[in-house]
Amino acid sequence: MPRVTQEHFDARRRQILDGAALCFARNGFHATSMQDVLKETDLSAGAVYRYFRGKEELIAAIVGEVLGQVHEGFEEAARSTPPPPPDVLVPSVLGRVLATKESLMVDGRPALPRLVIQVWAETLRNEELAATMREGYTAVLGAWTRVVEAYQEAGMMPRDTPPTHVARTMMAGAMGFLAQQALFGPAPVEVLQDGLRALMSVRDGGTGVGA
């Protein structure tokens, strides 16, 4: 019996994950059955179950992969001296993640933003998935916080704001941009880049609130 190569293993795993991601993005987690995944991937039950025991393992693997890509992008930035500014960094990392899933389309739109919304909803009722999300979120927040600390060390950002506050705000911008795409249609990451750059240029006019 021929030995299965690592390349074959990785390709088959990728096939299953991409098929499951399409199913979850299209119909939601609860409305998707393993039979739907088998049909989408055109694989037998034995072939799929060899890699994943069920929907829970599939969605955990998808979530872990996406969070890992985001984490890697910001860890790389944190090692730069100084890191690229937020209007370059955030769209760059988000664009890189979107590009890895650009071949996955649902109703003519990118599947990843819709998948993200489905995952967020499932996280509210699935404690195991919530634990996976918390672990990934904590790792990503740590990487983003180190980026902000590097901004402050380089004099690019005031030191009077806790780095975690800035990191969470940058994360909120990226997450909100994904949510907008899922709800209202695709938009290039240049939209996010232009918006961040404009916000970064705002200066206090000295009028004060209620003046």
Side-chain angles (χ1 to χ4, degrees):
M1 186 173 181
R3 186 173 65 88
V4 176
T5 65
Q6 186 63 42
E7 290 78 9
H8 175 84
F9 180 90
D10 292 343
R12 182 55 53 85
R13 189 175 187 275
R14 173 85 276 135
Q15 180 184 358
I16 296 168
L17 286 176
D18 286 350
L22 283 172
C23 290
F24 295 147
R26 185 185 300 122
N27 301 318
F29 184 73
H30 284 281
T32 296
S33 67
M34 284 302 290
Q35 190 61 39
D36 294 326
V37 175
L38 300 181
K39 183 178 180 181
E40 185 70 40
T41 58
D42 195 26
L43 293 172
S44 68
V48 171
Y49 283 109
R50 178 182 179 187
Y51 294 82
F52 302 98
R53 290 180 292 182
K55 292 193 301 180
E56 287 76 14
E57 283 195 3
L58 280 165
I59 199 167
I62 293 168
V63 168
E65 181 178 63
V66 172
L67 287 173
Q69 290 167 346
V70 175
H71 183 215
E72 180 182 348
F74 282 92
E75 282 288 1
E76 180 182 323
R79 292 191 290 268
S80 303
T81 307
D87 63 313
V88 174
L89 178 58
V90 177
S92 173
V93 174
L94 186 59
R96 193 184 311 175
V97 174
L98 287 167
T100 65
K101 299 288 187 290
E102 63 184 357
S103 64
L104 303 182
M105 306 288 287
V106 174
D107 298 331
R109 293 182 176 184
L112 181 59
R114 290 181 57 158
L115 177 63
V116 167
I117 295 293
Q118 299 289 358
V119 168
W120 289 347
E122 180 60 20
T123 297
L124 299 177
R125 63 172 70 94
N126 184 325
E127 183 52 39
E128 288 188 12
L129 181 59
T132 299
M133 285 288 288
R134 283 194 297 270
E135 181 180 352
Y137 177 84
T138 299
V140 172
L141 180 62
W144 289 48
T145 299
R146 286 190 289 278
V147 169
V148 176
E149 290 170 344
Y151 289 153
Q152 293 175 333
E153 287 292 331
M156 299 168 63
M157 186 175 287
R159 294 175 178 266
D160 58 354
T161 302
T164 55
H165 292 190
V166 181
R168 289 183 66 138
T169 300
M170 290 198 298
M171 291 177 74
M175 294 166 74
F177 189 69
L178 282 174
Q180 286 182 7
Q181 293 199 56
L183 296 171
F184 309 119
V189 292
E190 286 76 17
V191 171
L192 180 61
Q193 184 173 42
D194 290 344
L196 287 172
R197 183 177 298 122
L199 287 171
M200 289 165 58
S201 70
V202 171
R203 296 292 181 267
D204 185 357
T207 58
V209 177

